[in-house]
Amino acid sequence: MNTSKLRVIIVEDEYHSRETLKGFLETYCPETEILDTASQVAEAVKKITHHRPDLVFLDIELQTGTGFEVLQQVTDLDFHLIFTTAFEHYAIQAIKFSSIDYLLKPIDLDELIAAVAKAKKRVQSQSRQSLLENLLQNMLGGSSEFKKICLSTAEGIEFIPTREILYCEANGSYTDFHLVDKRKLVVSKNFKEYENLLGDFNFMRVHNSFLINLGEVKKYVRSEGGYIVMNNEKQVAISGTKKEEFLRRMGI
């Protein structure tokens, strides 16, 4: 690999968007080298396979299919990926869940420069293929309980099934993940972000500092203002404004 340049392929079916991104990269991201562009699924698969780029900008919605179909058909997912899309729709949650970067169109120059800088740092990471494989599994898999969330810790990147999370606890600008196997993972993203990501996976924020897996609740104690006991015996406070929703969701 040329260590001085990120070798780039752009997959975008709109001519104006494709040329604008090319111009931005050539002018403001000198650490990139544009190898080729593609506008269709089959063409993208062929060119990614041939060039083996370091970084791919991939439009989610192409006229001949989707960016996810491109990823399914590329046999070697050994590259960094930045999605581009004009729509903040359902796919964005899966992308965030898998810790993949994305840019909303029209692309903001500052966001592009930041994403390329992040790619430059991560492009030699051994985990980039795992990130893309996890994304496809989450997008195409079955039950939500088997979906895995990508968590970046000081030690590396872990892919944790949502069903194995007991609860999340706010820890300043970090979030502590407490798992059913008794491990605690300290993740360098704030609590609010995970509240949004896990909300559709049977998790509920019951207190300013706690986001719990409702499937791991052992009991609810009404005394002392009310509190929740998790399966690991952890006692979790519940805010007064959250009690009614919690009891409803637990069928109490």
Side-chain angles (χ1 to χ4, degrees):
M1 186 186 80
N2 185 337
T3 57
S4 64
K5 295 279 188 178
L6 283 176
R7 300 164 63 254
V8 175
I9 286 181
I10 298 171
V11 182
E12 167 64 66
D13 62 357
E14 296 177 359
Y15 177 80
H16 176 72
S17 296
R18 186 167 63 247
E19 292 302 306
T20 298
L21 179 53
K22 280 180 63 178
F24 278 171
L25 290 172
E26 290 168 349
T27 305
Y28 300 102
C29 301
E31 65 271 45
T32 63
E33 173 192 354
I34 299 173
L35 300 176
D36 213 333
T37 64
S39 60
Q40 299 180 4
V41 170
E43 180 188 22
V45 172
K46 181 179 179 179
K47 290 185 175 182
I48 291 172
T49 301
H50 172 70
H51 289 292
R52 297 177 59 85
D54 304 313
L55 173 62
V56 174
F57 286 89
L58 181 59
D59 191 6
I60 290 179
E61 296 179 354
L62 303 166
Q63 291 184 5
T64 57
T66 70
F68 301 107
E69 291 175 58
V70 173
L71 296 178
Q72 282 180 276
Q73 294 177 41
V74 172
T75 55
D76 187 358
L77 295 173
D78 188 21
F79 51 85
H80 190 79
L81 178 68
I82 299 176
F83 275 114
T84 60
T85 178
F87 309 100
E88 188 157 14
H89 51 22
Y90 75 95
I92 295 301
Q93 184 192 52
I95 292 167
K96 288 181 177 179
F97 219 65
S98 300
S99 195
I100 303 293
D101 283 342
Y102 73 96
L103 297 170
L104 287 175
K105 294 188 285 187
I107 291 174
D108 178 86
L109 179 57
D110 290 337
E111 291 180 0
L112 171 64
I113 292 171
V116 170
K118 183 176 178 182
K120 183 74 172 177
K121 291 180 180 179
R122 294 176 63 176
V123 77
Q124 291 181 296
S125 168
Q126 296 299 310
S127 65
R128 58 186 183 178
Q129 183 165 345
S130 299
L131 291 175
L132 297 185
E133 290 171 350
N134 186 62
L135 170 67
L136 289 178
Q137 180 179 326
N138 285 339
M139 285 297 300
L140 307 171
S143 173
S144 64
E145 69 174 311
F146 295 105
K147 294 189 184 300
K148 295 181 180 180
I149 186 168
C150 174
L151 301 178
S152 181
T153 70
E155 291 75 33
I157 294 175
E158 295 207 34
F159 300 93
I160 305 296
T162 58
R163 69 183 186 280
E164 294 182 9
I165 302 169
L166 275 168
Y167 61 92
C168 305
E169 184 175 6
N171 178 12
S173 59
Y174 296 84
T175 303
D176 295 342
F177 277 74
H178 296 265
L179 309 180
V180 296
D181 63 6
K182 300 183 180 179
R183 289 189 301 149
K184 180 177 80 171
L185 301 180
V186 180
V187 182
S188 58
K189 286 187 179 179
N190 66 55
F191 185 71
K192 180 67 176 177
E193 181 161 347
Y194 291 112
E195 178 186 3
N196 294 333
L197 282 179
L198 291 167
D200 293 335
F201 296 88
N202 205 34
F203 283 74
M204 178 182 172
R205 186 171 184 169
V206 295
H207 185 272
N208 284 341
S209 300
F210 288 99
L211 176 70
I212 67 169
N213 182 345
L214 295 177
E216 288 292 329
V217 172
K218 183 175 183 178
K219 63 182 176 180
Y220 171 68
V221 180
R222 296 185 185 277
S223 62
E224 301 178 25
Y227 62 90
I228 298 161
V229 179
M230 304 301 292
N231 279 338
N232 68 342
E233 303 299 336
K234 169 70 176 180
Q235 295 183 8
V236 177
I238 183 168
S239 301
T241 56
K242 298 290 187 178
K243 286 183 183 178
E244 184 177 344
E245 180 187 354
F246 169 75
L247 294 173
R248 175 181 57 78
R249 291 186 63 176
M250 294 299 295
I252 300 174

